[in-house]
Amino acid sequence: MKALYYDGDSLVLKNVPIPEITKGEALIKVYYTGICNTDLEILKGYMGFTGIPGHEFVGEVVKAPENKSLVGKRVVGEINIACGQCDLCRAGKRKHCRNIRTLGINNYDGAFAEYMKFPVENLHPVPDEIPNTIATLVEPLAAAFQVLEQAHIKPTDRVCVIGDGKLGLLISIVLQYSGIHHVLIGKHPERAKEVIPEVEALLPSELKGLENSFDVVVEATGNAKGFTSAIELTVPTGTLVLKSTFASGENLNLSPVVVKELNIVGSRCGPFEPAIAFLKSQHEKLEGMISGIFPFEEYQRAFEATKGSLKILLKMS
């Protein structure tokens, strides 16, 4: 089969064996995969990953010896693979397993391939109402829903999302869907309004006077400067939800976190159930999130197209 392989230096298309599944795994024929900012960071050295990247996918189960009812069904998958045996797994914190593997990110080959293997317990069937292309957004949309699980936003809270890239827009869509008024700050307010017409979108240059103004700030810029801006925007004793992951570290002044007594919440993957339920009836709201679809063999053009775009997909042959 064809797969994109990252050797720690470059990403190349090569022929590799179709994965052999073991107990509890399924073999999946991949239909589409999405290119995520985390994939771009991996190519800069994030997590020290080598192998087949890619973690946003939709595909069809072609083999599942222990779960034959799944064969022929379209699926998406939760990316964290837990051992199920350690103390954290037994405490219900499986995505923080001490022996965690993560699809296409940490010690487990990912979805930039014609076929992939994956644990059956991580798979979710895709309802017929959701198109293949939109199904690739289930994983990042679940990460957006995770904000609601962690921040416990009150009706009186003033809320801000900083960063209007792919994840920031998904978070804004989830907040809008949940009836939470908020301000979205980013460099592309016109594009943001095309995706979410009702949103109040501001440029960073329009932030003067908004310091210490928001009870809850969600940082989704993908860079360290966004963290600094988020600290400035959060009211003393407010909550700052951090979504960004990036490879290179920068010097950060954390003194304001102490002085303002901020609650810092790290936020990563989220629940698939509400994301799938949302897409079942609201998938058209995310159609504007997909900027382009490229044949798998044109992966170089696809990765280049991610600059300044929203979601770019690879279509498997």
Side-chain angles (χ1 to χ4, degrees):
M1 71 171 186
K2 294 177 181 178
L4 290 180
Y5 189 89
Y6 181 64
D7 62 6
D9 181 47
S10 58
L11 186 68
V12 295
L13 184 65
K14 61 189 297 186
N15 287 314
V16 300
I18 293 176
E20 294 185 7
I21 61 175
T22 58
K23 184 177 181 180
E25 292 181 325
L27 182 67
I28 300 162
K29 179 178 174 62
V30 180
Y31 289 160
Y32 290 88
T33 60
I35 300 174
C36 172
N37 279 353
T38 301
D39 299 318
L40 303 180
E41 292 298 320
I42 282 175
L43 303 187
K44 300 175 186 177
Y46 177 64
M47 295 296 292
F49 177 81
T50 58
I52 301 171
H55 58 275
E56 299 175 358
F57 74 93
V58 61
E60 178 185 332
V61 176
V62 295
K63 187 185 296 185
E66 299 161 54
N67 300 82
K68 294 182 180 179
S69 62
L70 276 177
V71 174
K73 291 187 176 179
R74 292 186 305 149
V75 292
V76 292
E78 300 188 42
I79 67 174
N80 297 295
I81 304 161
C83 73
Q85 304 297 321
C86 71
D87 57 328
L88 291 175
C89 284
R90 294 196 302 271
K93 301 177 181 180
R94 291 176 61 87
K95 73 177 179 181
H96 300 290
C97 166
R98 296 193 186 277
N99 306 301
I100 195 74
R101 294 176 293 167
T102 309
L103 179 69
I105 297 172
N106 177 27
N107 200 30
Y108 199 98
D109 280 337
F112 289 158
E114 293 178 312
Y115 291 88
M116 59 178 283
K117 66 176 184 177
F118 211 46
V120 167
E121 66 179 359
N122 286 55
L123 297 176
H124 292 258
V126 178
D128 293 340
E129 294 88 343
I130 303 176
N132 280 332
T133 53
I134 299 298
T136 62
L137 298 173
V138 169
E139 195 278 331
L141 183 63
F145 270 99
Q146 180 70 358
V147 172
L148 299 182
E149 297 283 324
Q150 295 176 293
H152 306 298
I153 299 169
K154 301 188 293 293
T156 55
D157 282 342
R158 293 162 293 175
V159 181
C160 167
V161 177
I162 178 167
D164 60 0
K166 297 177 282 291
L167 183 55
L169 286 175
L170 288 174
I171 293 167
S172 184
I173 287 170
V174 167
L175 294 177
Q176 196 84 23
Y177 173 71
S178 304
I180 298 171
H181 177 75
H182 62 284
V183 175
L184 176 62
I185 298 168
K187 298 178 180 179
H188 312 93
E190 300 86 1
R191 185 178 70 184
K193 282 191 168 292
E194 288 179 5
V195 178
I196 318 166
E198 311 89 346
V199 75
E200 181 180 354
L202 300 177
L203 286 163
S205 59
E206 299 177 280
L207 294 181
K208 189 174 181 180
L210 291 179
E211 298 87 354
N212 301 317
S213 291
F214 297 97
D215 302 286
V216 179
V217 175
V218 184
E219 189 282 318
T221 63
N223 62 71
K225 291 180 181 178
F227 180 48
T228 300
S229 297
I231 292 173
E232 294 172 354
L233 292 169
T234 311
V235 298
T237 72
T239 298
L240 200 171
V241 182
L242 292 178
K243 275 291 187 183
S244 292
T245 56
F246 42 89
S248 58
E250 294 186 30
N251 292 327
L252 296 172
N253 178 16
L254 298 179
S255 294
V257 174
V258 178
V259 173
K260 296 172 73 171
E261 296 185 320
L262 300 183
N263 301 294
I264 306 293
V265 179
S267 182
R268 192 164 54 102
C269 304
F272 270 44
E273 290 82 1
I276 291 172
F278 172 89
L279 291 179
K280 189 173 179 179
S281 61
Q282 307 284 328
H283 63 80
E284 70 281 353
K285 293 184 182 296
L286 268 64
E287 289 175 355
M289 291 288 300
I290 297 176
S291 297
I293 302 173
F294 291 79
F296 189 36
E297 293 79 2
E298 297 181 22
Y299 71 96
Q300 292 172 317
R301 285 184 57 222
F303 272 81
E304 185 66 26
T306 61
K307 299 175 182 177
S309 298
L310 292 178
K311 183 60 66 177
I312 297 295
L313 303 182
L314 292 171
K315 181 179 181 180
M316 300 303 150
S317 56

